[in-house]
């Protein structure tokens, strides 16, 4: 990880910034220096500097070893969140959330763009069809405002294909919930939304494929906004509107 978080102050430090501010690991007498604790933005577990004294290497942060600590950022790219059909579905509530979602889809789309600009509308359509297949809407505890976060957490978000799109977002993005949400089941038991959201940017691997830890640029916390439906200005361009209408002709007039 590029920047670790000091919880008390909310400040985030690269290893270089941390050493500049709090000094090297050992003081002039060779004794370990007492420096403030910093944590991972996703799991809030303490971190330590890696290769702090080796200037030629990439200096970074590592999690302190703890086999019981789970962190979404330690998971490999393949382990994404998956929608499982509800065990105890609530079809009435589900139908209400689904129809409200279609009424507000441009609000959802506008909020998605605030978190990650230039996401493909085809990915969004794919998500809605998956939500239908797995009855995502019918989970007890499901909230409509969760939807952009659930959507973004499920996919590898490649940079746009067009040259102009790449100017807006040249990097690959991967979103995760923080460590409180290990599976979507953890969302349904937290309907008040006491969880965090994380957005990581990666350089596109020069030889193709999916970016790994060496391509990581930075990881930022995103503050979940339970009120975005009332706040954002609904937006979609005419191409996106056409694609949504042709895929959901019954729902979108
Ligand atoms: Zn972590």
């Amino acid at each position: 990880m590029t920047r670790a978080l000091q919880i008390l102050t909310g400040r985030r430090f690269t290893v270089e910034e941390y050493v500049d501010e709090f000094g090297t690991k050992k003081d002039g007498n060779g004794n370990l220096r007492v420096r403030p604790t910093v944590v991972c933005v996703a799991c809030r577990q303490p971190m330590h500097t890696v290769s702090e004294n080796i200037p030629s290497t990439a200096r970074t942060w590592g999690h302190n070893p703890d086999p019981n600590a789970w962190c979404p950022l330690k998971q490999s790219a393949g382990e994404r969140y998956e929608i499982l059909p509800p065990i105890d579905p609530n079809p009435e509530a589900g139908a209400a959330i689904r129809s409200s979602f279609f009424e507000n889809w441009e609000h959802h789309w506008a909020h998605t763009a605030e978190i990650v600009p230039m996401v493909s509308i085809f990915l969004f359509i794919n998500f809605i069809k998956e939500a239908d297949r797995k009855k995502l809407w019918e989970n007890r505890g499901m909230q409509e405002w969760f939807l952009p976060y659930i959507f973004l957490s499920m996919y590898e978000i490649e940079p746009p294909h067009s040259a102009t799109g790449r100017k807006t977002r040249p990097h690959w993005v991967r979103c995760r919930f923080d460590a409180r949400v290990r599976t979507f089941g953890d969302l349904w038991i937290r309907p008040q939304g006491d969880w965090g959201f994380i957005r990581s940017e990666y350089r596109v691997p020069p030889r193709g494929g999916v970016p790994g830890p060496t391509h990581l640029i930075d990881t930022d916390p995103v503050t979940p906004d339970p009120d975005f439906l009332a706040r954002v200005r609904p937006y979609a361009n005419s191409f996106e509107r056409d694609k949504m209408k042709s895929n959901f002709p019954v729902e979108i007039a």
Side-chain angles (χ1 to χ4, degrees):
M1 178 180 297
T2 320
R3 288 186 295 155
L5 169 74
Q6 186 182 15
I7 291 186
L8 276 180
T9 59
R11 292 172 66 199
R12 300 179 64 212
F13 296 93
T14 63
V15 171
E16 284 80 359
E17 290 162 352
Y18 186 77
V19 171
D20 281 350
E21 180 127 358
F22 303 112
T24 49
K25 194 176 272 182
K26 290 179 180 170
D27 66 18
N29 300 320
N31 297 316
L32 274 182
R33 203 191 292 274
V34 178
R35 298 187 293 186
T37 301
V38 286
V39 301
C40 166
V41 292
C43 68
R44 307 260 160 159
Q45 299 292 321
M47 303 197 98
H48 60 271
T49 61
V50 177
S51 314
E52 177 179 327
N53 301 317
I54 313 168
S56 58
T57 345
R59 296 187 281 182
T60 178
W61 294 99
H63 290 82
N64 291 357
D66 179 352
N68 298 317
W70 181 84
C71 176
L73 299 181
K74 287 197 271 183
Q75 301 307 106
S76 66
E79 291 177 77
R80 283 190 287 273
Y81 298 99
E82 196 191 339
I83 303 176
L84 298 172
I87 296 160
D88 175 26
N90 185 341
E92 295 78 34
I97 289 175
R98 187 177 186 277
S99 91
S100 180
F101 165 78
F102 276 105
E103 208 162 289
N104 296 326
W105 81 265
E106 290 193 25
H107 293 76
H108 287 268
W109 189 236
H111 187 48
T112 298
E114 290 183 318
I115 304 168
V116 186
M118 309 293 293
V119 174
S120 155
I121 193 69
F122 297 109
L123 208 55
F124 193 55
I125 290 166
N126 187 304
F127 162 69
I128 299 165
K129 292 185 171 174
E130 176 76 358
D132 278 342
R133 271 192 298 274
K134 304 273 176 67
K135 300 185 166 39
L136 172 69
W137 331 95
E138 297 183 13
N139 282 284
R140 290 175 197 274
M142 169 77 195
Q143 307 293 317
E144 183 184 346
W145 74 268
F146 288 180
L147 288 162
Y149 302 93
I150 294 174
F151 163 53
L152 289 171
S153 74
M154 285 175 56
Y155 297 94
E156 292 292 325
I157 307 168
E158 297 180 30
H161 295 299
S162 71
T164 43
R166 284 204 176 210
K167 275 192 194 132
T168 307
R169 181 169 60 83
H171 302 125
W172 194 296
V173 175
R174 195 172 285 156
C175 293
R176 293 287 182 269
F177 291 90
D178 72 5
R180 285 170 282 188
V181 180
R182 200 160 167 169
T183 69
F184 287 143
D186 295 323
L187 277 181
W188 319 143
I189 57 170
R190 297 175 175 277
Q192 60 286 81
D194 54 337
W195 37 260
F197 202 66
I198 314 288
R199 174 192 195 278
S200 301
E201 280 198 34
Y202 294 82
R203 277 182 293 278
V204 178
R207 295 197 195 97
V210 173
T214 56
H215 304 106
L216 179 66
I217 299 166
D218 208 355
T219 299
D220 288 300
V222 172
T223 307
D225 180 2
D227 302 317
F228 80 82
L229 286 166
R231 176 181 57 78
V232 298
R233 223 177 93 219
Y235 177 78
N237 65 34
S238 54
F239 176 79
E240 292 161 348
R241 233 171 255 146
D242 286 350
K243 290 296 160 202
M244 282 293 285
K245 274 184 196 170
S246 60
N247 278 275
F248 306 102
V250 177
E251 292 84 351
I252 300 173

